[in-house]
Amino acid sequence: MNTVDERRRFFRVKDEIILDIECIEEKDLQKLHHKIQKIPARSELTITTELNILSNEFLPVLNKIRKDTPDIGQYLDMLNKKIDAIAQVLSIKEGHLDEQPRTEVCLSASGIAYNSPEKYKIGQHLDIHLTLFPEINHVHLLGYIQQ
């Protein structure tokens, strides 16, 4: 393993997230894998995800405005921040995220570490839902327990 791979392997981020983990049987992996890969309809997205998509769509225009008229670009950036703040509050209230317990985790390129009251077997497959803050990004993934 070279130094870059080694450094990446040990780069860790401690954070508090909403973590929902469910043990799954190997026979259910293919069905869940297909569900995760399916791109959701826009009507199924959270408001914060929808706004992130829209922001990415008009980023080239915003970058041109920033370059041509920096004052207007700065103003539009401030408006975006206000809209994002409102969307975060709505997402938290709508999804009852303020009522859900947060779990302290250590995230890395090779996995997630956290103190779990549940004992998992090595090789056990998991259906994992993460909610990352402050952007309220929802991540659905499949994983397994390794030593």
Side-chain angles (χ1 to χ4, degrees):
M1 186 177 294
N2 68 34
T3 0
V4 173
D5 291 336
E6 191 69 20
R7 189 176 67 228
R8 187 173 294 140
R9 179 180 161 92
F10 291 104
F11 183 75
R12 302 193 184 295
V13 175
K14 288 186 179 182
D15 202 357
E16 281 193 351
I17 65 172
I18 294 175
L19 178 64
D20 181 31
I21 296 181
E22 185 179 328
C23 294
I24 56 172
E25 299 295 323
E26 192 165 353
K27 63 181 174 65
D28 297 326
L29 279 175
Q30 190 64 25
K31 186 172 96 175
L32 275 169
H33 188 264
H34 179 70
K35 179 183 173 185
I36 290 172
Q37 284 188 322
K38 180 183 157 240
I39 297 172
R42 275 205 149 144
S43 61
E44 298 173 20
L45 300 176
T46 64
I47 190 168
T48 52
T49 303
E50 180 71 22
L51 286 172
N52 285 336
I53 290 169
L54 291 172
S55 291
N56 287 335
E57 287 176 0
F58 57 72
L59 190 60
V61 175
L62 183 56
N63 284 336
K64 183 172 179 354
I65 292 170
R66 284 182 188 133
K67 182 180 174 191
D68 295 344
T69 50
D71 289 343
I72 294 174
Q74 185 178 11
Y75 177 74
L76 292 173
D77 287 335
M78 288 188 287
L79 283 178
N80 270 342
K81 286 180 184 177
K82 287 174 81 171
I83 292 168
D84 289 343
I86 292 168
Q88 286 178 358
V89 169
L90 290 174
S91 287
I92 287 170
K93 296 296 181 201
E94 187 178 84
H96 304 286
L97 300 179
D98 52 343
E99 299 167 10
Q100 296 184 31
R102 306 245 179 132
T103 303
E104 188 173 306
V105 297
C106 188
L107 302 167
S108 74
S110 60
I112 303 169
Y114 71 102
N115 291 325
S116 171
E118 187 168 341
K119 299 289 184 201
Y120 299 106
K121 296 178 194 165
I122 293 178
Q124 174 70 54
H125 295 279
L126 305 170
D127 183 13
I128 305 167
H129 293 262
L130 311 172
T131 302
L132 307 171
F133 296 93
E135 291 84 6
I136 310 175
N137 288 322
H138 301 282
V139 181
H140 185 191
L141 50 100
L142 299 175
Y144 66 93
I145 300 297
Q146 65 181 31
Q147 207 165 0

